[in-house]
Every structure is written in C-alpha cells, then in structure tokens.
C-alpha cells in the first residue's frame, strides 16, 4: 500500500489527499465541511440554496415555505453564517466553496463566497470561463473546475491562461458520482466514459498546462478504490456519498436513513431541470414522476436552464423544492441524491474515523 501524501492547491496545503465534495442542498454545510477540514482533508461548503439554512432564518421573504427568488434562494447572510460556523470548527485550515455554474446569480454568489472567506472556489455543471475575472481581487484564492473530459479542461485552461491563471487543481468526475452528471444519459454506463477511462487523457491534457493536482471523483468508496485510481495518476480523491454517512453531515437523519435502507437496484438515474441527468435513490418522488404541465410553480428561481419552471414542468419536479425537501427530511417529496455506491453505506460514523479509515485502511 502506498503512503498517502498531502497535496498543494496553489498556496493551500491539504494534509490528506481526501476532498469532501460539495453537496447541495444542505448536505455539506458548516458541520460537515468544517469537520473534514479540521481533520486534515478539504471540506467543501455548498453555496446551493443556502436560503434553507437553519429553517430559513436568514431569508427575507418566503412563499409556501420556500425562499422567494434567487436572492433568498442563495442567501448571502446564510452563506456568511455557514462560513463563520465552519471556521469555528476548522480555524484557518483551507475551506472550499462549491458553486454550480448553472445557477442564477452565479457571479454574485461567487463574490459572496469570496467575501465569506472561501480559500478555494470549485465549479461544475458548466464551463466557468469567467472565474479568473471574478476572483481577480483575491490572489490567494484558488479556482478549481470540475470536468468529465479532456476537451473541457482544454477549453478552460486556454481561456484561463489568457487571463493569467491556471487551475489550482482539477476535479475529474466520473459517472458513478452522486447528483448531477457531466455526461449524457446514454453515456453514463459506456466504458469510455468511466472514471478510469477519462482520467488518463485528462492527465495528459493537464501536463500541457502545468502540474496542478488531479482529484478523482465518482464511486470512490474505500482505500482499495483510492489505490486503484491513484495508480492511474490521480493525486487525491473526492468523496461525496460516503461523507453523508457521518454524524457530522448536515443532511437530515431521514436522508441518512434513505441511504442506509437502499439496495443496489434502488440507485437510479433521473432527469433534472438542470439539463443533466442526476443519480438518486428511487424514493416516492421518482416512483411517481410524470411530466406536469401546469401545477409546478417557480418560487426560488434557482437555475437558468430551468427557465422559471419550464424545465421543472417537463421533468415533473422542481429541483430546488425537491432537494430542499430532502434537506428538511420530507421522505415523500424529497429528492435524495446518491452516488452509485450509496447502497454500500451500512453505518453512520464520525468524520475523523472515516478519514482515518481511508488513510490507514484500518477500521
Ligand atoms: C447528495 C449529493 C449532492 C451533490 N451536490 C453537488 C453539488 O451541489 N455540486 C457539485 O459539484 N457536486 C455535487 N455532488 C457531487 C459530489 O460533490 C461528489 O463529487 C460526488 O458525489 C462523488 O461521487 P461519490 O458520491 O460516489 O463519492 C453531489 C453529490 C451528492 C451525493
């Protein structure tokens, strides 16, 4: 077994090459991210729908129990509070913030995250070509894209280089990951789109632009998986679903129980108003889905590809409401994202013990 070494993301040293993936809505907020960073990994705060934080305490206006409009859905005040609380846990160790490119108000939310004290900005679900400009007044902040192909990395590096920046790291996400996917539905199970296949060409592309670390994500569960993906050239790994199985994870107990109760065949692909397929546990929402032409109202105006509820009516659910409901522990109406290995979760452990297990391969 190899010795697992820390990585440098620009100026930021991450003692252990274990990154906790950003998980919205409310799965990776202060408690989870703070504890991962405290224990030597990199914790990632999700900036998605922070309006839901602490029973919508920071939301100025709500309708039907939902944050009203983009301003309240991505509550600046709540994001500040999340960072403040995470800092109380991890001190000045690096903390990342995950902001999907497909959200409305992307630029404003990036700025909020910078002002709230993020050390690293991570963006997927689109090509964040404008990140160098948005972060130009924060020279210590590193910017990290999530990609699923060498082509996407090439486009980003080319554009960022023209602005005088290189990525602090790149996250390579394969189709076993939880949540929104970077590949189309018919590509998700094709061998050429699996993490093991996309990683080597992305590494080759990375070599053309610098030596920033490669972080592999999607379906990584245990030390054996870490060894295998590092053999293919990854410098670090990002885990999402396994961190849901921790006491510190901000998800509701209902969310954790959904994963504990799931079987392999329960983890399915579902269409999403974001425009990418998503991977989730087949709970009541998915079992009863049908396109809905009039009933779904857009309250939170969360993502631009949905076009104020058009996408929601097409797929049969609103992404903000459904992920919000999962966070609130509403089993019937919630959407419970999970990686393909979510059914392997058998117990809830502490973040420290999970990181120790991954580092030492001892339980
Ligand atoms: C519940 C859940 C929510 C997620 N939300 C986001 C998100 O908001 N932004 C993002 O970039 N990735 C998101 N992801 C992906 C994770 O950050 C991570 O990269 C991925 O889950 C890794 O695969 P694994 O779950 O098999 O470990 C989410 C994953 C899960 C399970």
């Amino acid at each position: 077994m190899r010795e697992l070494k820390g990585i440098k993301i620009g100026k930021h040293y991450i003692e252990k090459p274990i990154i906790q993936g950003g998980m919205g809505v409310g799965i990776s907020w202060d408690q989870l991210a703070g504890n991962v960073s405290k224990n030597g990994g990199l914790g990632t705060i999700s900036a998605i729908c922070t309006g839901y934080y602490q029973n919508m305490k920071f939301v100025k206006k709500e309708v039907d129990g939902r944050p009203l409009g983009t301003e309240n859905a991505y509550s600046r005040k709540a994001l500040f509070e999340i960072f403040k609380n995470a800092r109380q846990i991890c001190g000045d160790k690096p903390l990342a913030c995950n902001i999907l490119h497909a959200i409305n108000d992307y630029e404003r939310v990036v700025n909020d995250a910078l002002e709230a004290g993020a050390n690293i900005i991570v963006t997927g679900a689109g090509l964040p070509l404008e990140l160098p400009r948005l972060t130009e007044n924060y020279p210590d902040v590193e910017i990290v894209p999530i990609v699923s192909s060498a082509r996407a990395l090439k486009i980003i590096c080319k554009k960022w280089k023209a602005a005088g920046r290189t990525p602090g790291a790149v996250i390579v996400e394969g189709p076993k990951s939880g949540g929104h996917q970077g590949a189309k539905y018919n590509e998700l199970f094709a061998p050429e789109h699996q993490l093991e296949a996309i990683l080597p060409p992305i590494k080759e592309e990375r070599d053309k632009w610098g030596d920033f670390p490669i972080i592999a994500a999607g379906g990584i569960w245990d030390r054996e998986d870490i060894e295998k993906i590092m053999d293919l050239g990854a410098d670090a790994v990002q885990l999402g679903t396994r961190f849901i199985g921790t006491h510190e994870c901000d998800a509701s107990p209902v969310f954790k129980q959904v994963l504990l109760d799931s079987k392999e065949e329960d983890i399915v692909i579902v269409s999403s108003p974001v425009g990418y397929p998503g991977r989730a546990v087949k709970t009541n929402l998915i079992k009863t889905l049908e396109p809905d032409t009039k009933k779904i109202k857009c309250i939170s105006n969360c993502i631009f590809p949905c076009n104020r509820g058009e996408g929601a009516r097409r797929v049969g659910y609103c992404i903000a409401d459904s992920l919000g409901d999962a966070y609130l522990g509403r089993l019937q109406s919630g959407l419970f994202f999970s990686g393909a290995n979510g059914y392997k979760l058998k117990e809830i452990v502490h973040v420290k013990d999970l990181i120790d297990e991954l580092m030492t391969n001892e339980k």
Side-chain angles (χ1 to χ4, degrees), residues 21-24 27 48 98 100 146 173 176-179 217-220 238-241 244 255 337-339:
M23 291 179 279
I27 315 300
I48 302 309
N98 180 294
L100 294 183
I146 304 175
E173 197 169 66
K176 287 192 175 144
S177 57
I220 294 165
Q238 170 166 299
L239 283 73
T241 308
I244 304 177
F255 200 128
F337 275 159
S338 166

Side-chain angles (χ1 to χ4, degrees), residues 35-241:
N35 276 289
V36 173
S37 287
K38 177 184 170 186
N39 285 289
L42 176 64
T44 308
I45 288 173
S46 163
I48 302 309
C49 291
T50 45
Y52 279 93
Y53 183 62
Q54 289 188 356
N55 284 323
M56 285 186 257
K57 191 166 139 191
F58 301 94
V59 162
K60 288 192 211 122
K61 196 152 184 215
E62 54 179 274
V63 170
D64 296 343
R66 312 282 178 201
L68 178 67
T70 313
E71 185 194 345
N72 288 303
Y74 302 99
S75 162
R76 172 181 164 90
K77 265 199 171 166
L79 187 64
F80 270 63
E81 191 69 18
I82 292 168
F83 266 92
K84 190 181 92 192
N85 293 336
R87 284 284 170 220
Q88 277 171 3
I89 300 169
C90 69
D92 58 6
K93 292 195 173 181
L95 269 176
C97 187
N98 180 294
I99 312 165
L100 294 183
H101 198 251
I103 66 169
N104 284 320
D105 275 9
Y106 175 74
E107 298 204 6
R108 191 263 297 168
V109 177
V110 170
N111 195 53
D112 290 350
L114 293 167
E115 290 185 7
N119 306 107
I120 298 166
I121 302 284
V122 177
T123 286
L127 296 175
L129 301 179
E130 68 278 57
L131 261 184
R133 173 176 59 81
L134 301 181
T135 54
E136 65 191 356
N137 295 328
Y138 292 82
D140 291 341
V141 170
E142 290 298 325
I143 48 179
V144 173
I146 304 175
V147 302
S148 300
S149 70
R151 191 173 157 267
L153 181 62
K154 182 179 178 175
I155 297 170
I156 291 166
C157 286
K158 209 169 161 186
K159 189 85 181 177
W160 287 12
K161 192 169 182 198
R165 292 293 297 261
T166 40
V170 59
I171 298 170
V172 180
E173 197 169 66
K176 287 192 175 144
S177 57
H180 291 112
Q181 302 293 309
K184 299 191 194 80
Y185 182 85
N186 57 1
E187 297 171 344
L188 293 178
F189 302 96
E192 65 272 26
H193 288 282
Q194 300 308 306
L195 181 60
E196 299 71 22
I198 61 177
L199 194 125
I202 292 176
K203 184 171 155 67
E204 242 174 68
E205 187 63 39
R206 187 281 312 264
D207 292 344
K208 294 180 195 159
W209 302 96
D211 62 354
F212 48 88
I214 296 184
I215 301 165
I220 294 165
W221 195 259
D222 54 21
R223 180 57 186 259
E224 206 184 313
D225 296 336
I226 296 177
E227 294 284 328
K228 276 193 208 147
I229 211 68
M230 287 194 166
D231 284 344
L232 292 174
D235 302 295
V237 289
Q238 170 166 299
L239 283 73
T241 308

